[in-house]
Amino acid sequence: DVEKQTARSILDALRAQQDAEKSLADAQRDATKAQQELRDARKQAQQDQQDLADKIAAGQLDERQALIDLFNAQVDYNAAMADGGATNLEKEQVSINLERARMAIAGVRKENAALLEEQKNGNPKAAKAVADAQDRVVSANDRVKDAQQNLADAGERVRDAQVNGARDIADAQQGVTDALRDQRQAAA
């Protein structure tokens, strides 16, 4: 009876230790995944910043080109208006080209201003993704710590069950030995 109860206690403690080891492995996987998500979020934020810097540089080139296009459109317009032989169609075309050049420069400047504003204010979406990933890493690390503690506790319960079981068995065996001795003495 004592041996069966002790064996059962040891098995229960071993199962608890196995469960704790599984929980630890799951928590470690979660922590690894969360750390990878954090690295990915930081990498994406860095890539977004680089993309923004590239867009700003391209926008500056676009503005310089738009200024040249506006200058050329203004020169063509002035020349057509000064040319007494220019047809109404030619004058209308240079007028349209000049207006398009003005609209293009205004559009490029507006886009550049928006890009600079985004750069100044940062990218809140990217910042939130990084912060969320950091929170997941902290949470996963907490789960790893808890699982490690559970594993240590389960190991201690296994050791306690083994010690208590060995003690119970020894006590039972001593009881049997004492009973046999008492029985022999009584019979003698």
Side-chain angles (χ1 to χ4, degrees):
D1 252 358
V2 171
E3 288 179 357
K4 285 181 182 178
Q5 183 179 357
T6 301
R8 206 171 308 122
S9 294
I10 292 171
L11 283 176
D12 289 345
L14 287 171
R15 280 191 206 106
Q17 184 178 17
Q18 286 175 336
D19 290 345
E21 287 171 351
K22 184 181 179 308
S23 293
L24 175 61
D26 291 345
Q28 286 172 332
R29 271 193 300 280
D30 287 349
T32 300
K33 181 180 177 190
Q35 288 167 346
Q36 183 60 47
E37 289 174 1
L38 177 59
R39 282 191 296 274
D40 292 346
R42 285 180 175 157
K43 185 177 179 182
Q44 185 61 50
Q46 186 177 18
Q47 184 61 49
D48 290 348
Q49 286 298 320
Q50 184 59 49
D51 290 348
L52 181 59
D54 291 346
K55 286 179 185 178
I56 289 171
Q60 290 169 344
L61 287 175
D62 290 346
E63 186 170 348
R64 288 171 54 199
Q65 183 61 55
L67 283 170
I68 291 170
D69 293 345
L70 178 61
F71 175 79
N72 289 335
Q74 186 68 55
V75 168
D76 291 345
Y77 177 82
N78 291 344
M81 294 304 158
D83 182 2
T87 65
N88 285 340
L89 178 62
E90 290 170 332
K91 290 178 181 180
E92 185 62 22
Q93 186 61 57
V94 294
S95 176
I96 290 172
N97 291 346
L98 179 60
E99 190 58 35
R100 282 191 179 172
R102 287 180 181 149
M103 289 175 65
I105 191 76
V108 168
R109 286 180 173 159
K110 182 178 178 182
E111 177 71 21
N112 286 349
L115 291 172
L116 290 172
E117 185 69 20
E118 182 179 342
Q119 184 182 46
K120 182 178 100 175
N121 294 332
N123 185 342
K125 184 179 172 186
K128 182 174 178 358
V130 170
D132 289 348
Q134 287 172 331
D135 289 346
R136 285 192 296 276
V137 167
V138 169
S139 176
N141 285 334
D142 288 345
R143 287 192 304 273
V144 167
K145 234 189 323 184
D146 290 346
Q148 286 171 332
Q149 184 60 51
N150 290 341
L151 180 60
D153 293 347
E156 192 172 319
R157 286 193 300 273
V158 168
R159 286 186 296 281
D160 289 348
Q162 289 170 334
V163 167
N164 292 336
R167 188 179 314 120
D168 290 347
I169 290 170
D171 289 348
Q173 288 172 340
Q174 184 63 47
V176 169
T177 302
D178 291 346
L180 287 174
R181 187 190 64 229
D182 290 347
Q183 187 179 22
R184 266 185 267 138
Q185 286 177 353

